[in-house]
Amino acid sequence: EIVLTQSPATLSLSPGERATLSCGATQNVGTSLAWYQQKPGQAPRLLIYDSSTRATGIPARFSGSGSGTDFTLTISSLEPEDFAAYYCQHRTEWPPGATFGPGTKMDIK
Amino acid sequence: QVQLVESGGGVVQPGRSLRLSCAASGFTFSNYGMHWVRQAPGKGLEWVAVVSSDGGTTYYADSVKGRFTISRGNSENTLYLQMNSLRTEDTAEYYCTKEGAATKARYAFDIWGQGTMVTVSS
C-alpha cells in the first residue's frame, strides 16, 4: 500500500511570497500524482495532474514537479485567495482506490 | 455545465443505515468511473469507494468494506452510497467525484460535488 506524506503540515507566508509544498510517496508512483486546493467550507479543486500539468483554468503561478517518490507544488507569488489547504493524491489502475496525503495548511503570516 | 450534486446526508444513530445519492449532469456519466471521498470535521481527505463506468467493478477502503456499498444508475445519471452499520467514526462530509478522462487527468478527480454531511450520533 502506497502512503503519501506532506510537508510542512502548516506553512505561514505573506502575499507575494513563494510557496513550496512537498509530497512524498513510500513507493515509486511515476508521475501519477495530483494536487488539490481546498478552502474552508468548499469541495477540493483539482490544480495539477500527472505531477506537472495544470488543470483547466488554473493560473500559471501554480506549478508541479517531481517523479518517483518526491513531488513539489510551487506557487510562485501568493495571492490572497491562495491561502487554503493543499492535498496530494495518487491513484492507479489496480487496485483502483486512491490515496491522499495528510495535507498542508497554508495561512497568512 | 458539468455538475455533481449530492443528497441524502443527515443525523443517524450508530448501527443504522443511510443512502447517499449524487446526481450528475453536463457530461456522459456512463463513460467515467466514480468515487466517494469523505472528510471528517477538521481532518483530511479519505478515499472511500469506487465504481467502474459500467458498474461491474467496485472497490472499498478497508474502513468501510462490508458495511458500505457503492453503485450507480447510468440511465438516471446517479451515483449511490448505501451505508449500513454506521459508526460514530463515519461522521464526515461525503463528496462524490469523477475520474478524469483517459487522455486527461486519468488518475485524478477533476469534478467534485459540494458534499453532503453525515453525522452518526446517539
Side-chain angles (χ1 to χ4, degrees):
Chain A
E1 177 192 348
I2 294 173
V3 175
L4 299 179
T5 59
Q6 290 187 244
S7 63
T10 305
L11 189 56
S12 296
L13 295 169
S14 300
E17 288 193 294
R18 181 184 186 91
T20 303
L21 288 68
S22 297
C23 176
T26 53
Q27 299 176 37
N28 186 340
V29 300
T31 57
S32 295
L33 191 101
W35 290 93
Y36 300 84
Q37 178 193 66
Q38 187 181 32
K39 298 179 181 179
Q42 296 185 17
R45 176 175 71 146
L46 177 64
L47 296 176
I48 301 284
Y49 63 91
D50 294 345
S51 175
S52 61
T53 305
R54 278 190 301 276
T56 302
I58 302 303
R61 64 180 181 274
F62 291 91
S63 63
S65 64
S67 65
T69 60
D70 295 301
F71 300 86
T72 301
L73 174 69
T74 302
I75 310 172
S76 58
S77 178
L78 286 165
E79 297 287 340
E81 62 267 28
D82 298 338
F83 291 91
Y86 291 85
Y87 297 91
C88 57
Q89 171 257 321
H90 168 68
R91 194 176 77 80
T92 56
E93 207 65 54
W94 190 266
T99 301
F100 289 93
T104 291
K105 184 181 177 185
M106 190 160 57
D107 56 31
I108 299 176
K109 191 173 182 181
Chain B
Q1 77 275 24
V2 178
Q3 197 173 9
L4 297 170
V5 179
E6 302 95 336
S7 61
V11 180
V12 61
Q13 293 179 328
R16 304 298 291 266
S17 298
L18 206 59
R19 188 196 200 200
L20 305 183
S21 300
C22 170
S25 59
F27 65 98
T28 305
F29 181 69
S30 58
N31 284 355
Y32 297 95
M34 296 293 296
H35 300 244
W36 288 98
V37 173
R38 68 183 181 184
Q39 187 171 37
K43 303 297 185 183
L45 301 170
E46 179 189 13
W47 176 81
V48 173
V50 56
V51 61
S52 60
S53 58
D54 64 359
T57 300
T58 58
Y59 196 75
Y60 300 90
D62 288 344
S63 57
V64 307
K65 199 175 299 180
R67 301 187 298 123
F68 289 13
T69 302
I70 188 172
S71 62
R72 64 191 297 159
N74 283 347
S75 58
E76 61 259 36
N77 291 337
T78 304
L79 175 72
Y80 303 100
L81 185 68
Q82 178 66 44
M83 305 185 294
N84 297 334
S85 302
L86 282 162
R87 305 168 179 168
T88 55
E89 55 264 36
D90 295 320
T91 294
E93 190 83 22
Y94 283 74
Y95 297 100
C96 65
T97 184
K98 166 190 168 292
E99 293 178 1
T103 56
K104 181 180 180 180
R106 177 175 188 172
Y107 297 111
F109 301 126
D110 61 354
I111 303 297
W112 294 69
Q114 85 289 351
T116 188
M117 185 67 198
V118 173
T119 302
V120 184
S121 174
S122 55

